[in-house]
Amino acid sequence: MLLDTYGRKATDLRVSLTDRCNLRCTYCMPEEGLQWLEKPSLLSDDEIVRLVHIAVTRLGVEEVRFTGGEPLLRRGLVEIVGRCAELEPRPKLSLTSNGIGLERTAQALAAAGLDRINISLDTLDPEVFHRLTRRKRHADVLAGLRAAKEAGLEPVKVNTVLMPGLNENEAPELLAWAVEHGYELRFIEQMPLDAQHGWQREGMITAGDILASLRSRFRLEPEPDEARGSAPAERWIVDGGPERVGVIASVTRPFCRACDRTRLTADGQVRTCLFATEESDLRGALREGASDEHVAELWRKAMWGKKAGAGIDDPSFVQPQRPMSAIGG
Ligand code: SAM
Ligand code: SF4
């Protein structure tokens, strides 16, 4: 098992498949992009499947979420999903994506064994989308969302980050749209993980702001605590249900005590937390011919050192060197 000194058990693995992306969301990347990882430093498809195999057979991992960067840009994605779906015990498999290109691959991903998907969409306005992501791809994301639903990747969850001066007033409209289309909307507080270090605590849209804005149009009742488990989103029942809306308040209401995550970067480093400042190299061990048990032991050791919390709101907080897109959000 992947235990830490605070008694938490990591059963949810996030695997970043690439640090590259076809959008440039302002809260994530600068306009010019980043210095991408060199191809030889990326884990190969075989290495990814081997690490997932080690995680599910030796370390108690039950869920695997593929992310990035933009995971749909990874050529072998469908095959990786298919091979992971054949593992015993079979992990639950999900994807976090910006949805661009999903129109073409949703059916194949579902057939390969993908169980669920989260698609990021911050606005219903194509112009605002362009300003937020610096690309004119709004229609592609909407097409990706429809394709995910048609492929049965339900519940389709939509991740939204609200940014001051851009889409900060769109929460009620987005929720009405999500309810109408049968998507489960989750707002994510903007975190200090952008490559440009532009995040500012003052002025950021908080969970409190989001809920106040939603309550101007909807009746929200908190879902009972038992329903939350280790999920990062606090959920509210919308207008008596059955629809729900989630808020992931990593900054103002951190949920570190219940965290069950372990993370693998596209270049094979274990991270215990999005905000960890240290990493443990598994790629090197794999390429030096280490046994499965040796790799598992390195992973256990890394997780044992997991810190109590992210501490974003602490005065001593230091932003990690890797930005969100290179960690895998
Ligand atoms: N490219 C894919 C996408 O956008 O869904 C997957 C990777 S992205 C890093 C994963 C999630 O992180 C997205 O929902 C995105 O909105 C969110 N994200 C990125 N930067 C963030 C930040 N600084 N604060 C909060 N959420 C962020
Ligand atoms: Fe790309 Fe996702 Fe970052 Fe936007 S949030 S730039 S889609 S990795």
Side-chain angles (χ1 to χ4, degrees):
M1 284 197 292
L2 290 173
L3 297 172
D4 67 40
T5 51
Y6 298 91
R8 294 169 298 191
K9 188 166 89 174
T11 55
D12 181 342
L13 167 62
R14 306 275 149 140
V15 181
S16 172
L17 296 179
T18 176
D19 59 333
R20 291 173 191 250
C21 193
N22 40 12
L23 296 183
R24 296 286 182 272
C25 304
T26 50
Y27 48 75
C28 184
M29 279 194 203
E31 177 142 33
E32 63 279 12
L34 295 165
Q35 177 78 50
W36 310 121
L37 293 166
E38 303 279 348
K39 183 110 202 277
S41 72
L42 294 179
L43 293 176
S44 66
D45 293 2
D46 286 345
E47 287 170 333
I48 288 168
V49 176
R50 181 166 170 216
L51 286 173
V52 174
H53 176 251
I54 291 171
V56 298
T57 55
R58 292 171 187 266
L59 299 171
V61 163
E62 295 164 4
E63 297 196 38
V64 180
R65 175 172 292 274
F66 298 106
T67 178
E70 178 42 50
L72 291 176
L73 295 180
R74 174 106 188 191
R75 238 182 236 147
L77 174 65
V78 174
E79 291 72 26
I80 292 172
V81 168
R83 290 171 66 187
C84 290
E86 282 165 14
L87 296 174
E88 278 294 328
R90 185 203 190 281
K92 283 188 217 128
L93 298 171
S94 56
L95 187 72
T96 299
S97 163
N98 63 26
I100 296 173
L102 193 60
E103 200 184 3
R104 291 187 300 279
T105 46
Q107 292 286 352
L109 284 166
L114 191 72
D115 297 306
R116 287 194 300 100
I117 193 157
N118 288 22
I119 298 176
S120 303
L121 179 68
D122 301 326
T123 176
L124 297 175
D125 180 336
E127 267 313 302
V128 177
F129 183 91
H130 184 202
R131 282 165 59 205
L132 262 165
T133 67
R134 306 183 178 107
R135 297 288 185 272
K136 294 188 171 176
R137 308 296 298 267
H138 192 250
D140 296 316
V141 180
L142 295 181
L145 275 159
R146 283 193 295 271
K149 199 149 198 268
E150 278 162 25
L153 294 170
E154 293 193 86
V156 176
K157 294 190 181 172
V158 174
N159 290 353
T160 298
V161 178
L162 293 180
M163 294 293 286
L166 281 165
N167 59 343
E168 64 183 305
N169 298 319
E170 265 197 69
E173 208 183 323
L174 277 159
L175 181 54
W177 165 85
V179 166
E180 185 192 333
H181 289 83
Y183 304 133
E184 187 178 318
L185 184 64
R186 300 134 40 96
F187 293 94
I188 307 178
E189 278 183 344
Q190 187 201 359
M191 295 180 274
L193 284 171
D194 56 314
Q196 321 79 285
H197 292 228
W199 178 85
Q200 288 182 326
R201 179 67 177 82
E202 305 85 57
M204 69 163 274
I205 313 295
T206 64
D209 300 331
I210 296 164
L211 290 168
S213 165
L214 291 176
R215 286 196 161 111
S216 67
R217 184 152 161 195
F218 300 93
R219 187 161 49 84
L220 301 182
E221 290 155 53
E223 201 175 48
D225 262 1
E226 310 85 78
R228 183 174 183 186
S230 57
E234 278 182 84
R235 298 205 309 171
W236 278 263
I237 303 164
V238 181
D239 284 343
E243 287 79 16
R244 305 278 194 273
V245 63
V247 180
I248 302 182
S250 317
V251 179
T252 61
R253 302 183 196 180
F255 38 86
C256 305
R257 270 202 311 194
C259 180
D260 63 354
R261 302 278 161 81
T262 181
R263 296 173 180 276
L264 199 55
T265 64
D267 55 348
Q269 312 298 304
V270 169
R271 294 181 63 91
T272 57
C273 171
L274 272 176
F275 295 95
T277 45
E278 282 163 24
E279 301 181 339
S280 305
D281 180 33
L282 296 188
R283 184 193 64 198
L286 285 185
R287 293 186 183 174
E288 280 159 18
S291 67
D292 284 2
E293 185 44 35
H294 181 63
V295 174
E297 195 46 36
L298 291 175
W299 205 328
R300 286 188 203 104
K301 265 196 198 134
M303 292 309 292
W304 190 247
K306 178 165 170 142
K307 300 227 168 82
I312 307 173
D313 241 359
D314 291 353
S316 61
F317 175 75
V318 182
Q319 181 169 340
Q321 284 201 324
R322 270 192 207 250
M324 181 72 133
S325 56
I327 296 170

